[in-house]
Amino acid sequence: MPSEFDLIRRHFTRPARHTALSVGDDAALLAPRAGMQLAVSTDMLVAGTHFFPDAEPEALGWKTLAVNISDLAAMGAEPRWAVLALSLPVADEAWIAAFARGFFACADAFGVDLAGGDTTRGPLNLCVTILGEVPAGAAITRGGARTGDDLWITGTPGHAALGLAHLRGEIALPPTAAQSCLASLHRPQPRVAFGQALRGVASAMLDVSDGLLGDLGHILESSGCGARIDVAALPLAALHACGADEALSRRCLLSGGDDYELLFTAPPSQREHLAALALGHGLPLSRIGTITATAGELVLHETDGREHTTAHAGYDHFA
């Protein structure tokens, strides 16, 4: 059976692009570029909580890195380095090789060096610390939304949750729709380039990992404001086209997680610029509401004109 160090050398040691010293020493040596701030985030994926224990390892390798890269996209940062810690029940070389292929495919796609990490025996647990750069003072945080700002969402949120509902037997999607939704669930596409294009445009931003309403609540809390969502403006048609009814479509879009789309606010004066950006990036973009003055209040404006407040609690690991 290969040793821990054999596994690291065989599957996780590669030439570095922008790391002074990477895998193989007690610590990595990084050299941030002049005028940049470091953006750092950590996410953990745990078998049985974040993914099914029998998940396909190559897709899991991609997702393990992609969900972390998405955190940097949400701040307008450029991903540069990752540190990977793996807890593995057994040293299954075929599984590890497939996981590494997916991980490095994502790393190559977004220009990330694996700078170091650790492996140990234990329950299947995948943890990445991602580091990136953003020009000093240019990071987009959750705390900049202002009354009157528009509320925007990229892409087609809800597809990942619909894919999960398909896996759980809650709906039987047609083959083409199932393939699309499962791709959203298993191989999310961080909006890195679009996030960087939003520097100086978006007033507040985050990525949707725990559900649109729940994650919007973080912006409202950090910015001390409220929001009004126009249900007619939500991109529900894409979910209907997959075969989901109105109730399931709304649940997946508003409360489903794992989309890793960008939810952001921007002044109305930026509407034409944002439309041009979305067109240039080939990315669907929906203006779904407005930021309001009442701190913490989240109102849904229904298609029939009714309005009602709603909770904005997202997924909670300890609830």
Side-chain angles (χ1 to χ4, degrees):
M1 179 176 292
S3 71
E4 171 189 357
F5 304 105
D6 289 334
L7 292 174
I8 292 171
R9 279 191 295 269
R10 194 171 303 161
H11 300 291
F12 297 105
T13 302
R14 294 180 56 170
R17 285 161 286 221
H18 36 250
T19 306
L21 181 65
S22 59
V23 177
D25 220 300
D26 288 302
L29 297 177
L30 312 179
R33 293 169 292 184
M36 295 286 188
Q37 289 178 305
L38 281 177
V40 183
S41 181
T42 298
D43 259 318
M44 189 184 307
L45 299 184
V46 179
T49 299
H50 300 97
F51 60 91
F52 294 113
D54 61 350
E56 196 277 314
E58 188 166 342
L60 189 56
W62 174 283
K63 186 171 184 176
T64 297
L65 184 56
V67 302
N68 283 270
I69 290 174
S70 182
D71 282 334
L72 296 194
M75 300 194 77
E78 177 186 353
R80 300 272 283 174
W81 305 278
V83 178
L84 172 65
L86 298 175
S87 171
L88 303 170
V90 294
D92 181 340
E93 280 229 62
W95 191 98
I96 294 168
F99 176 89
R101 282 196 304 272
F103 185 94
F104 282 114
C106 188
D108 290 342
F110 293 96
V112 174
D113 279 353
L114 180 61
D118 189 28
T119 58
T120 189
R121 183 190 294 271
L124 185 56
N125 184 357
L126 316 166
C127 183
V128 168
T129 296
I130 191 81
L131 300 96
E133 295 175 331
V134 62
I140 307 167
T141 70
R142 300 175 177 184
R146 297 293 177 263
T147 301
D149 280 355
D150 292 327
L151 181 64
W152 299 84
I153 183 78
T154 63
T156 52
H159 275 65
L162 189 55
L164 182 60
H166 175 77
L167 290 179
R168 288 175 168 167
E170 298 173 27
I171 184 174
L173 296 174
T176 300
Q179 183 178 17
S180 173
C181 291
L182 291 174
S184 295
L185 177 65
H186 295 314
R187 292 182 181 266
Q189 301 296 316
R191 305 302 188 186
V192 173
F194 198 74
Q196 292 174 33
L198 290 176
R199 295 195 299 240
V201 178
S203 50
M205 185 159 67
L206 46 62
D207 67 331
V208 178
S209 58
D210 294 326
L212 191 155
L213 294 182
D215 286 325
L216 175 56
H218 299 312
I219 289 179
L220 304 188
E221 181 179 3
S222 295
S223 298
C225 57
R228 177 178 176 271
I229 291 178
D230 184 0
V231 172
L234 293 173
L236 290 165
L239 299 174
H240 296 330
C242 291
D245 62 21
E246 181 69 17
L248 181 58
S249 295
R250 279 184 64 140
R251 191 191 85 195
C252 288
L253 194 152
L254 293 175
S255 303
D258 265 358
D259 286 312
Y260 303 100
E261 296 291 353
L262 297 179
L263 179 66
F264 66 94
T265 62
S269 60
Q270 296 287 351
R271 288 177 186 174
E272 288 188 11
H273 180 60
L274 285 166
L277 278 181
L279 183 63
H281 285 261
L283 181 63
L285 184 64
S286 303
R287 178 163 56 90
I288 62 171
T290 307
I291 297 299
T292 63
T294 306
E297 183 180 70
L298 181 50
V299 174
L300 291 183
H301 178 81
E302 299 288 349
T303 54
D304 62 4
R306 292 180 300 112
E307 290 193 345
H308 58 94
T309 58
T310 186
H312 45 77
Y315 181 78
D316 184 342
H317 289 282
F318 297 100

